Amino acid sequence: MPFNQLLGVRFVTEDDSIRLEIPWDDKLTGNPLQKILHGGVTASLLDTIGGLTAILSAVKQTQDGHLAELVTRLPTMGTVDMRVDYLRPGRGKRFIATGQVIRKGSRVAVCRMELHNERGDHIAFGTGTYMLG
């Protein structure tokens, strides 16, 4: 997605999981006096990892014979609702977003997402509901 490229998002896959990483960039500053990450960048990272987590969960749980049907539903997938709790200022050299599915139905998935910096400081977490088509 072009917006993720603008943010400098890097997608990292490991075993069966995915995470997002972005390096600090002055263009992502929310408070120039404190040099902290903009809250909108935090929310965007959480929303992106939540959506990806929901989609990957749907793909993993879809039987081979039904994958073509899932692919036709991909364009209609999207965020229904999301809540972000900001725990501390976004300071760091690198930020890592992770997510996990809390509950998945046939049409909707609920995910919990977290954002940490490279030191493991918990910056924010979110809960998102995603339409699966």
Side-chain angles (χ1 to χ4, degrees):
M1 289 190 279
F3 183 67
N4 290 329
Q5 291 174 349
L6 182 68
L7 293 178
V9 174
R10 192 177 77 139
F11 297 80
V12 179
T13 56
E14 205 170 81
D15 299 322
D16 258 2
S17 68
I18 187 169
R19 69 179 186 269
L20 305 179
E21 295 186 3
I22 64 166
W24 171 258
D25 187 323
D26 287 340
K27 291 181 255 177
L28 305 177
T29 300
N31 182 328
L33 299 176
Q34 294 189 26
K35 284 209 160 201
I36 59 175
L37 194 64
H38 190 284
V41 174
T42 297
S44 294
L45 289 169
L46 293 175
D47 188 30
T48 301
I49 194 63
L52 284 171
T53 301
I55 289 169
L56 288 175
S57 173
V59 169
K60 288 177 190 174
Q61 293 180 0
T62 300
Q63 296 173 355
D64 290 343
H66 298 282
L67 280 175
E69 176 192 340
L70 180 65
V71 169
T72 64
R73 293 184 359 221
L74 282 175
T76 62
M77 294 182 177
T79 307
V80 174
D81 186 45
M82 188 178 77
R83 171 192 167 91
V84 176
D85 289 294
Y86 299 91
L87 304 175
R88 64 176 40 95
R91 291 190 179 93
K93 295 178 183 170
R94 188 170 49 99
F95 300 93
I96 301 105
T98 57
Q100 66 182 29
V101 174
I102 296 172
R103 183 179 185 318
K104 185 190 160 307
S106 61
R107 298 280 182 204
V108 174
V110 178
C111 299
R112 176 185 164 91
M113 303 82 71
E114 297 188 2
L115 183 70
H116 294 84
N117 65 14
E118 77 283 356
R119 295 182 307 271
D121 296 333
H122 199 169
I123 306 296
F125 73 90
T127 305
T129 304
Y130 298 91
M131 179 65 66
L132 299 175

